[in-house]
Amino acid sequence: ELEVEHAVTSASDPGEVAVEQAYVEHQLTPTLAARGGLFLMPVGLLNETHEPTAFYGVERNFVETAIIPTTWREAGAQLIGNLDNGLTLQGGISTSFDLTKWDPASSEGRESPLASIHQEAAQAKARNFGVFGAANYRGVPGLLVGASLFTGNASHGQAGYPSMRVTLGDVHARWTPGRWDLSALYARGYISNTEQLNATMVGNPTLIPKTFDGWYVQGAYKVWQQGDYALSPFVRLERFNTARAFANLGPGITPDAARTEQVATVGANFWLTRSVVIKADYQRFKVNKDANRFNVGLGWAF
């Protein structure tokens, strides 16, 4: 899967062409498959299915971008078991994050700690691998309940960097009875042994957080449908904090925890076909009120 970002790529314009997925999957038995290569991590509700037609609102929710770094991909190998009772199990090893990329002078780490240090398998440091697992149950029609966990060393033995481990987990659920589409998710991340590296960054605006987390609840209702046309208003409430806590550096040096942001989003998706959608929404922020905005978008997938 190739992806062109921001419609242009050149030496003087912002943009990129990226390989988002490139893997081989082999069916070992009717219920067990092996996958190797570059793949999307099985975490949350959106990361593996993140196209504009698959989510409500013009932009993806903040929890699954600021806490879970959607779209998150790694190189590695995994086993996938699809059991007859509706349970899907995934687990494997992969490349990990790279904390040597942390820029304390940039705001990227405040916006999304893990997005600022992901490697996307591009000449990825791989002295240390990550391990991950996910379980999703779909045994009841219209119901999805699942959880995931990733953990991996993120300093890769680089000189001057202590052994630092990134751990990220989530629990999620989605229920689609009739015209309703209801979902909820909680995600939490942890970075260990940040004290030594943060001590060298004191005075910069963005130190490495020890913990970060967030949750959201969302409800949508299909009020009208005729053929492929469908209209679904939705509402979403989310709270997230990209720096819930910092490791103790001593009095007067340890950064204060960030304020927890709350975002309320109300809007609607109008599908022209299953692969084309027009979206509009209004977002209201509790902390950063200057970010309040009205969004309009056109999305398609092919």
Side-chain angles (χ1 to χ4, degrees):
E1 179 182 351
L2 294 172
E3 183 174 78
V4 179
E5 288 282 1
H6 307 121
V8 63
T9 298
S10 73
S12 59
D13 296 306
E16 66 176 11
V17 173
V19 179
E20 190 162 276
Q21 297 187 82
Y23 63 82
V24 174
E25 184 170 308
H26 180 64
Q27 200 71 33
L28 300 172
T29 71
T31 59
L32 182 65
R35 180 182 297 177
L38 177 67
F39 47 75
L40 298 171
M41 299 296 283
V43 54
L45 290 170
L46 292 186
N47 197 61
E48 289 189 294
T49 309
H50 57 267
E51 290 75 15
T53 52
F55 61 87
Y56 294 96
V58 177
E59 303 288 348
R60 300 175 190 129
N61 69 76
F62 287 99
V63 178
E64 292 188 90
T65 50
I67 307 302
I68 299 173
T70 304
T71 305
W72 174 19
R73 55 188 180 270
E74 299 286 357
Q78 63 173 298
L79 292 175
I80 305 168
N82 289 297
L83 306 184
D84 293 337
N85 61 2
L87 182 64
T88 298
L89 300 174
Q90 293 173 259
I93 61 173
S94 71
T95 50
S96 184
F97 296 95
D98 179 13
L99 273 163
T100 69
K101 296 172 61 177
W102 188 275
D103 183 359
S106 169
S107 64
E108 287 185 348
R110 290 198 307 271
E111 294 165 2
S112 175
L114 297 186
S116 69
I117 58 171
H118 65 171
Q119 301 195 80
E120 300 179 308
Q123 299 181 343
K125 294 182 179 69
R127 174 170 176 170
N128 302 111
F129 285 100
V131 295
F132 64 91
N136 287 283
Y137 177 72
R138 299 178 177 86
V140 176
L143 179 66
L144 165 64
V145 179
S148 70
L149 181 66
F150 169 91
T151 185
N153 189 289
S155 49
H156 303 282
Q158 299 297 296
Y161 289 84
S163 177
M164 305 172 72
R165 177 169 295 275
V166 171
T167 301
L168 177 69
D170 95 285
V171 291
H172 52 265
R174 185 178 183 184
W175 187 35
T176 54
R179 292 175 176 266
W180 288 97
D181 189 342
L182 310 172
S183 58
L185 179 145
Y186 174 75
R188 182 177 179 85
Y190 174 78
I191 304 176
S192 69
N193 298 328
T194 60
E195 299 92 332
Q196 180 178 328
L197 187 55
N198 274 346
T200 68
M201 300 177 180
V202 171
N204 286 282
T206 309
L207 272 60
I208 303 170
K210 180 173 70 172
T211 58
F212 42 95
D213 67 350
W215 60 263
Y216 73 83
V217 291
Q218 177 179 273
Y221 185 78
K222 188 178 295 182
V223 297
W224 177 79
Q225 182 172 13
Q226 182 175 335
D228 287 336
Y229 294 135
L231 176 64
S232 292
F234 75 95
V235 61
R236 180 171 63 241
L237 178 66
E238 51 190 320
R239 289 174 60 88
F240 61 97
N241 193 322
T242 58
R244 175 71 64 185
F246 290 90
N248 184 26
L249 299 179
I253 301 176
T254 305
D256 293 330
R259 297 180 65 186
T260 298
E261 182 63 273
Q262 177 176 295
V263 184
T265 305
V266 58
N269 283 17
F270 179 66
W271 282 272
L272 299 178
T273 71
R274 291 185 177 181
S275 58
V276 180
V277 63
I278 298 172
K279 304 180 177 187
D281 62 57
Y282 176 71
Q283 295 185 299
R284 189 173 183 86
F285 293 70
K286 185 175 182 179
V287 175
N288 183 17
K289 294 181 172 58
D290 291 338
N292 292 349
R293 60 196 182 218
F294 181 71
N295 307 302
V296 178
L298 170 65
W300 65 92
F302 58 91

